[in-house]
Structure formats: structure tokens, C-alpha cells
Amino acid sequence: MSVAVLGSGAFGTALAISLAGKGPVTLWSRSPEQARQMQETRENQQRLPGLPLPEALSVTDDLDQASQSDTLLLAVPMQKLRGMMSDHAAALRGRVLVACCKGIELNSGLGPMAVMAETLPGTRTALLTGPSFAQDIARGLPTALTLACAEADLGRDLQAQLTTANLRLYRTTDTVGAELGGALKNVIAIGCGACIGAGMGDSARAALLTRGFAEMQRLAALKGARPETLMGLSGLGDLMLTCSSDLSRNYRFGLALGRQEPFDRATTVEGVATAHAVAQLARDNRIEMPISTTVAQLSNGDYSVAEAMRSLLNRPLKEE
């Protein structure tokens, strides 16, 4: 089976670089200028400077050409997934689609698997998620991810196709747990970044991370996810990575909030929209998600970091 990556951001480019070690791969960019520049310079100077593109990797801005591949990896931001699929439905129909984004759609409260099912009913789909930074994958460093697919046979085929020399995939049929773990950890990462940025210390971050993980498990259980999925790469693994490194955009955004510094608005921070979507889900389902709700208020400017932490610390005492 042939493979193409749709989306030439850092993560999409990194996946294409890794997959090109096994054979020809096409990388689609929506920008003709970026596609031309990447073909000529043989690197993504904007997102992954200094990391060369393998000879087996070709870049194009022609989606019809890229979508000739059997398997299409959709490496676009979560909030743009539905629009991208709707705009290119004819080209995507009949292909195996693997979402490579993390988050919850703000307007619908749906994850990437449900968005794909709504947009192109009957399409065979999967989700690639887990603890990873684009730079690590592109540099050939060992990385383990979760491949979530409701169809066990398709999951096995994709696992074999997408595993590379440095990219090891673990398979699950629990798509709900995998997509919630990948989405919710971004919200907690913003909170942890704000905590460190405001000078509250590592102990406070550890407490926030742990109680945030309890929130993740609470919502996942409500949605029918398996507990072991949240304990795996797509849940706890991704949470630990994202809440502890400034390579994470969500963590960096939180750091900027805590330090009261400006943040580059051109940088995609999936956790902001997800925090608002989760806050709405918490209200609709009458479950307690205090950290996620507070992160939504914090990112909105409704709270200062000091007020947010004071609000969390003043909650009623309870058993763990």
C-alpha cells in the first residue's frame, strides 16, 4: 500500500521523513510556495530547519496527486480537520484515512474519529497519537505511538505499514480512549506550563498533572473508554511528555501565561479550543472537571494565574 501525508507542518513533515525510509512517500502542502521551496531546498525551512528530506520524499501542492495513495495521513490541526475534509471530499473518498491530530472540535464536542465519520460516512479510518515531538521523529530518534482503529484487521495492516526504523506503533481498538487521551493532555499541559511560568514550582506541577490525569480518566470513563488506554502511550505517556518539556506548544503557551508574556499567535495551540470544548462537556454531563474549566477561563483572560490557582486550592477537601 502507498502512503501520503496531507499537511506539511512540523509533525506531518516528520512523519513523511520517517516513512520515506521504507519507500516513496508524498507530502502535500496547501501552499504552492512552500511546496516549491521544500522541493528545491530539500528541507522544511519554516517548521523543521536543518533536517533534510530523503530522496524518497516528494512534496506537492496538488492534493489530487497526493490522494492517489492508498493510505492518507491527515496531519492538520484538529479545528481545521472537518473543513479540510469537506473541501476535498471527492479526493479523500475511498482512501484509508489516518488522523494525526489531537483535540476536541469546539463547535461539536467531537474528536477526530467522530469528525471523520460525520464528514465522510463509510470511510475506513484510524488515529495516530501518543507521546512524540516532530524533531525527535525527523531526527530518527526512537518514538512509540498508539495506532487506534476500530477494525482489528485494518489496524494490523496499518501497524505494519506505518511502523518504521525509529517509529514503533502499538495497536488498540479503543478509539475513544486514544482520542480523549491525546486531546485532554494538551489542556493539562497548559495548566502545568502556567504553574511553572508563575514560579509555583515542580511540586505544584506534579499535583496539577496528577489531578489533571484524574479528570482525564473521569471523562474517558463517561464516554466509554477502557481504563487501560488512558494508562498507556496515548494517555499517561503523552501527558508526562507534554507537561514537562518546552518543546510542547501547549506547555509553552502556559509558560507565557504564567510569565505574563506575549505568545506567537501563529503557533497552533490545540489545548485552548479543547479546554473550552471540555468545559462545555463537563457542564452538559454534570461532571467535575475543575482544572480543565480553569484552563479555559485562564486562556480566555477571565482569570490571572494567581486567581486560577487560588480557585483550585480553595475547592472543598476530599478523598483522592
Side-chain angles (χ1 to χ4, degrees):
M1 294 190 295
S2 54
V3 60
V5 180
L6 308 186
S8 59
F11 193 63
T13 302
L15 288 174
I17 289 173
S18 183
L19 288 164
K22 296 179 70 174
V25 173
T26 301
L27 176 64
W28 173 76
S29 172
R30 66 177 179 177
S31 165
E33 175 59 26
Q34 186 191 31
R36 182 194 60 78
Q37 191 175 69
M38 289 176 69
Q39 274 288 76
E40 290 180 356
T41 65
R42 301 309 297 167
E43 68 177 66
N44 187 336
Q45 295 178 334
Q46 183 179 3
R47 299 298 184 185
L48 287 176
L51 294 169
L53 305 183
E55 289 185 11
L57 174 55
S58 61
V59 187
T60 181
D61 66 314
D62 185 342
L63 192 131
D64 288 332
Q65 175 190 335
S67 62
Q68 295 304 306
S69 297
D70 304 302
T71 302
L72 305 179
L73 276 58
L74 308 185
V76 297
M78 178 63 217
Q79 305 305 320
K80 295 182 179 179
L81 179 62
R82 186 186 295 271
M84 182 267 187
M85 291 185 63
S86 298
D87 291 344
H88 303 288
L92 302 181
R93 190 170 285 110
R95 308 296 185 223
V96 174
L97 305 182
V98 182
C100 302
C101 51
K102 302 171 183 178
I104 297 176
E105 193 175 47
L106 186 56
N107 293 332
S108 68
L110 299 177
M113 295 295 290
V115 168
M116 289 193 294
E118 272 197 1
T119 311
L120 285 177
T123 301
R124 305 180 81 191
T125 60
L127 174 71
L128 191 61
T129 184
S132 59
F133 289 137
Q135 293 92 331
D136 290 347
I137 295 174
R139 290 169 58 201
L141 300 179
T143 303
L145 297 176
T146 295
L147 177 72
C149 184
E151 298 180 57
D153 289 343
L154 177 60
R156 278 188 286 269
D157 290 342
L158 289 171
Q159 183 182 35
Q161 182 188 24
L162 302 178
T163 292
T164 71
N166 70 303
L167 200 58
R168 181 176 175 85
L169 305 189
Y170 288 82
R171 192 178 67 251
T172 181
T173 57
D174 183 11
T175 58
V176 173
E179 66 181 359
L180 283 175
L184 299 176
K185 61 88 186 178
N186 283 335
V187 179
I188 308 306
I190 293 174
C192 287
C195 177
I196 294 298
M200 295 181 181
D202 291 330
S203 297
R205 173 171 54 182
L208 198 63
L209 187 156
T210 306
R211 295 312 305 163
F213 185 52
E215 288 191 14
M216 290 169 59
Q217 292 173 304
R218 194 176 303 140
L219 182 59
L222 178 74
K223 294 295 185 179
R226 297 198 293 263
E228 61 267 26
T229 305
L230 272 292
M231 293 299 296
L233 290 165
S234 59
L236 183 59
D238 212 355
L239 178 70
M240 292 174 64
L241 180 70
T242 312
C243 292
S244 61
S245 173
D246 58 10
L247 287 177
S248 162
R249 293 167 296 182
N250 293 278
Y251 183 72
R252 289 202 311 274
F253 176 71
L255 283 174
L257 287 176
R259 294 168 178 166
Q260 298 183 345
E261 296 175 349
F263 190 80
D264 182 5
R265 292 182 178 273
T267 301
T268 300
V269 183
E270 293 281 22
V272 172
T274 299
H276 287 87
V278 170
Q280 186 60 52
L281 285 172
R283 289 190 292 270
D284 292 345
N285 293 280
R286 297 183 180 180
I287 59 170
E288 289 193 344
M289 303 282 288
I291 294 174
S292 301
T293 300
T294 299
V295 168
Q297 295 169 322
L298 182 63
S299 63
N300 247 8
D302 297 338
Y303 272 177
S304 69
V305 174
E307 290 169 333
M309 292 303 169
R310 191 158 48 243
S311 173
L312 290 172
L313 290 171
N314 286 334
R315 286 175 48 77
L317 299 175
K318 58 190 289 188
E319 290 185 355
E320 186 169 30

